[in-house]
Amino acid sequence: MIDIQVLGSGSAGNCYRISDGSTTLLLECGIRYKDIQKGVQFKMSDVAGCLVTHEHGDHCKSLKDVMRAGIDCYMSSGTASALNIHHHRLKRVKNKEPFQIGTWRILPFDVQHDVSEPYGFLLANKAGDKLLFATDTYYIKYRFKDLTHIMVECNYSMSVLNDNILAGRTPSVMKGRLLRSHFSLENVKEFFKANDLSRLEEIWLLHLSDSNSNEAQFKKEIMQLTGKAVYIA
């Protein structure tokens, strides 16, 4: 059974703690280090590794502190090069080449974002849990089987975004960037329709925009579509 704890989600910073009861991981470290410490009850030694999707600060703000705490941090070569950080705890992993951390077998896969080499991660353990983690991508080109947990970005709704642009609350120039870098509610729905959800236990919607999303609407529409438990990070 997977335990998911949200330490931060959104443009202000992203960080999630997950555990299968044997191995605890951080997904992202984009919040203040002291907030990460609080989130894990100051038991940083219990954290076996940290997965980082890309180089934006809201996903890796505390990277140096996490590595100084003795935690290996895993990312693509492109992300590592963009960060220009050299440390023996920084581990470069390759697209579609699985690696192991404790009880987790982890498969990195490429996603679509306006950075060097962004990854999503598929995590599986021997108990049969399978968790998909994908954020900051406007599209996922892969299909997945036997997922039990999904943590996926649902940044904005096209209708909310268009209303905000018409009202002058959101600059129209932002629309182009959002379309090429973040997951909309509409595209997240298409992603769910394309995947086998028969074993799925719960869905976590991540990284909602402060201005271009509607938490209640997103939760309701995804629950109606999938029939699964939906949580907003």
Side-chain angles (χ1 to χ4, degrees), residues 107-149:
L107 178 71
F109 61 91
D110 54 301
V111 297
Q112 315 301 315
H113 195 46
D114 55 349
V115 289
S116 299
E117 191 181 3
Y119 280 171
F121 297 98
L122 179 65
L123 301 94
N125 62 18
K126 291 182 179 178
D129 301 313
K130 189 178 285 187
L131 183 154
L132 178 76
F133 177 66
T135 185
D136 290 53
T137 182
Y138 62 86
Y139 176 68
I140 298 175
K141 62 184 178 182
Y142 302 109
R143 301 294 174 260
F144 302 91
K145 295 181 179 179
D146 300 326
L147 295 175
T148 58
H149 298 70

Side-chain angles (χ1 to χ4, degrees), residues 13-73:
N14 298 272
C15 185
Y16 313 91
R17 172 194 175 277
I18 66 165
S19 176
D20 63 355
S22 296
T23 302
T24 297
L25 300 177
L26 291 178
L27 306 179
E28 316 281 34
C29 54
I31 62 175
R32 296 182 305 173
Y33 182 63
K34 65 180 182 181
D35 292 329
I36 296 176
Q37 289 177 301
K38 290 179 182 176
V40 300
Q41 288 80 49
F42 298 93
K43 298 178 180 177
M44 294 300 291
S45 59
D46 288 349
V47 179
C50 176
L51 310 182
V52 177
T53 60
H54 65 286
E55 63 266 32
H56 283 161
D58 58 330
H59 296 262
C60 60
K61 180 177 183 177
S62 295
L63 179 63
K64 291 181 179 178
D65 290 319
V66 171
M67 291 191 294
R68 286 193 195 104
I71 298 169
D72 290 338
C73 294

Side-chain angles (χ1 to χ4, degrees), residues 5 71 85 110 167 173 178 187 232:
Q5 181 183 358
I71 298 169
I85 293 174
D110 54 301
V173 295
L178 283 173
N187 284 341
I232 303 294

Side-chain angles (χ1 to χ4, degrees), residues 37-227:
Q37 289 177 301
K38 290 179 182 176
V40 300
Q41 288 80 49
F42 298 93
K43 298 178 180 177
M44 294 300 291
S45 59
D46 288 349
V47 179
C50 176
L51 310 182
V52 177
T53 60
H54 65 286
E55 63 266 32
H56 283 161
D58 58 330
H59 296 262
C60 60
K61 180 177 183 177
S62 295
L63 179 63
K64 291 181 179 178
D65 290 319
V66 171
M67 291 191 294
R68 286 193 195 104
I71 298 169
D72 290 338
C73 294
Y74 301 80
M75 64 194 71
S76 71
S77 288
T79 297
S81 297
L83 288 168
N84 194 26
I85 293 174
H86 303 279
H87 195 284
H88 70 282
R89 292 290 182 183
L90 193 155
K91 307 296 182 184
R92 297 171 185 250
V93 295
K94 295 183 179 179
N95 187 25
K96 300 176 190 173
E97 291 191 8
F99 60 98
Q100 194 84 27
I101 306 177
T103 51
W104 294 105
R105 181 175 172 82
I106 301 165
L107 178 71
F109 61 91
D110 54 301
V111 297
Q112 315 301 315
H113 195 46
D114 55 349
V115 289
S116 299
E117 191 181 3
Y119 280 171
F121 297 98
L122 179 65
L123 301 94
N125 62 18
K126 291 182 179 178
D129 301 313
K130 189 178 285 187
L131 183 154
L132 178 76
F133 177 66
T135 185
D136 290 53
T137 182
Y138 62 86
Y139 176 68
I140 298 175
K141 62 184 178 182
Y142 302 109
R143 301 294 174 260
F144 302 91
K145 295 181 179 179
D146 300 326
L147 295 175
T148 58
H149 298 70
I150 294 177
M151 300 174 69
V152 65
E153 174 184 41
C154 192
N155 185 260
Y156 68 96
S157 159
M158 188 61 73
S159 62
V160 175
L161 174 61
N162 286 336
D163 287 346
N164 283 336
I165 291 173
L166 285 173
R169 292 186 293 267
T170 298
S172 59
V173 295
M174 282 188 61
K175 184 173 182 177
R177 197 238 164 191
L178 283 173
L179 295 178
R180 295 188 301 272
S181 60
H182 287 284
F183 230 158
S184 68
L185 172 66
E186 293 78 10
N187 284 341
V188 169
K189 286 182 173 180
E190 294 304 313
F191 169 75
F192 283 124
K193 290 177 183 176
N195 280 274
D196 173 20
L197 307 181
S198 58
R199 291 193 61 224
L200 190 64
E201 298 174 13
E202 58 186 50
I203 295 166
W204 288 77
L205 300 180
L206 316 176
H207 207 317
L208 273 66
S209 165
D210 290 337
S211 56
N212 296 313
S213 69
N214 182 313
E215 180 178 327
Q217 173 200 350
F218 284 19
K219 182 172 182 175
K220 179 180 179 181
E221 293 191 15
I222 297 299
M223 285 182 67
Q224 288 177 337
L225 176 69
T226 64

